[in-house]
Amino acid sequence: KDRCDEKVLSAAECYALLEDSGLWYGNGFRSVKEIYTGKNTVLARLELPSELEEGKGEYHLYQNQVQSEHNEVVLHPGMLEGAIQASIVLMSGENNNPAIPAALKKLEILSPWAEKMWVIVRYSKGHIPGSPVQKLDLVLCNDEGKVCVRFKELEFQHMPKEQLKILSELPRIPKQSEEPCALHLRPENWVLQDISEEKESAISKLI
């Protein structure tokens, strides 16, 4: 925290900054409670949103099952989301366009997640200021300072706000449906085409 003494952002200031860059988050995705900023580094305090409290017990049971059956631990997606948001705040000082996570070199989950955590975000080695592609290193710790998760070279790509606006206007699945888990497809927009060997190979790599 001593190295991140330039500015302190409250949760409200953090999400106002993200909204200004073109990213909007509902209450269930707001796990960042406070951000301390420093030179090329941010430290964020994360806490599971109250909207996710109802399913918290089930997720703990899932985590325990994974640990007992596979000797592995998991990370709650709410905490993952907060860590990504803190990363975007760090990059906002160089580029006001929204940053979207695109790739990851290495992930280490060392200890179970906690309902209150801290994330330290730094630029990866070889950082080029102003580049449309940025790589960051993230470390998530619990309140005692124990390292729980490490992200090595999490890659972000900056997307123009106009392009993000187009994506946000795409048709969405209705909130209420007789089949809440149904797969919604749009066959009226499909066009039958032959797939060349080159395209087929590219699709296989993507899948």
Side-chain angles (χ1 to χ4, degrees):
K1 188 184 289 187
D2 293 339
R3 298 180 182 178
C4 299
D5 56 357
E6 292 184 0
K7 189 177 181 180
V8 180
L9 298 176
S10 66
E13 291 172 322
C14 167
Y15 287 103
L17 188 153
L18 291 171
E19 288 179 9
D20 185 57
S21 71
L23 299 169
W24 293 266
Y25 296 92
N27 292 334
F29 291 90
R30 299 190 173 211
S31 53
V32 175
K33 299 304 177 185
E34 205 169 31
I35 290 185
Y36 300 82
T37 65
K39 184 178 180 181
N40 294 331
T41 307
V42 299
L43 172 68
R45 182 167 63 88
L46 310 179
E47 188 173 331
L48 201 64
S50 57
E51 285 77 7
L52 301 180
E53 286 289 320
E54 185 177 345
K56 179 180 63 178
E58 293 181 4
Y59 204 85
H60 276 299
L61 290 174
Y62 166 69
Q63 174 178 278
N64 293 338
Q65 180 181 356
V66 171
Q67 276 188 277
S68 62
E69 294 182 2
H70 304 285
N71 195 29
E72 295 178 353
V73 293
V74 296
L75 174 64
H76 195 287
M79 293 302 180
L80 171 60
E81 187 64 47
I84 290 174
Q85 292 164 8
S87 303
I88 297 172
V89 169
L90 172 61
M91 292 181 287
S92 66
E94 295 186 358
N95 192 326
N96 196 36
N97 283 321
I100 308 299
L104 175 64
K105 181 176 182 179
K106 186 177 181 180
L107 170 64
E108 294 179 286
I109 302 181
L110 308 172
S111 301
W113 67 282
E115 294 168 28
K116 296 181 180 180
M117 301 186 76
W118 294 84
V119 60
I120 305 166
V121 185
R122 302 183 181 93
Y123 286 106
S124 302
K125 186 177 180 180
H127 165 62
I128 302 175
S131 172
V133 177
Q134 297 289 354
K135 294 180 180 180
L136 306 178
D137 296 329
L138 290 70
V139 178
L140 282 89
C141 308
N142 61 18
D143 261 349
E144 288 71 43
K146 183 179 180 180
V147 175
C148 300
V149 183
R150 286 195 186 101
F151 292 84
K152 182 68 174 177
E153 294 189 12
L154 177 58
E155 181 180 303
F156 289 81
Q157 296 185 3
H158 287 279
M159 178 183 293
K161 291 182 181 180
E162 298 76 15
Q163 187 175 351
L164 187 67
K165 185 174 184 295
I166 293 173
L167 292 176
S168 68
E169 293 173 349
L170 292 174
R172 300 184 179 183
I173 297 174
K175 290 184 178 180
Q176 294 183 345
S177 172
E178 293 180 0
E179 299 179 74
C181 295
L183 179 63
H184 292 257
L185 304 175
R186 298 177 64 83
E188 67 274 14
N189 295 333
W190 294 358
V191 178
L192 184 63
Q193 293 183 336
D194 292 330
I195 299 179
S196 64
E197 291 185 3
E198 181 180 356
K199 289 183 178 179
E200 187 175 2
S201 174
I203 293 172
S204 298
K205 290 180 181 179
L206 178 62
I207 296 175

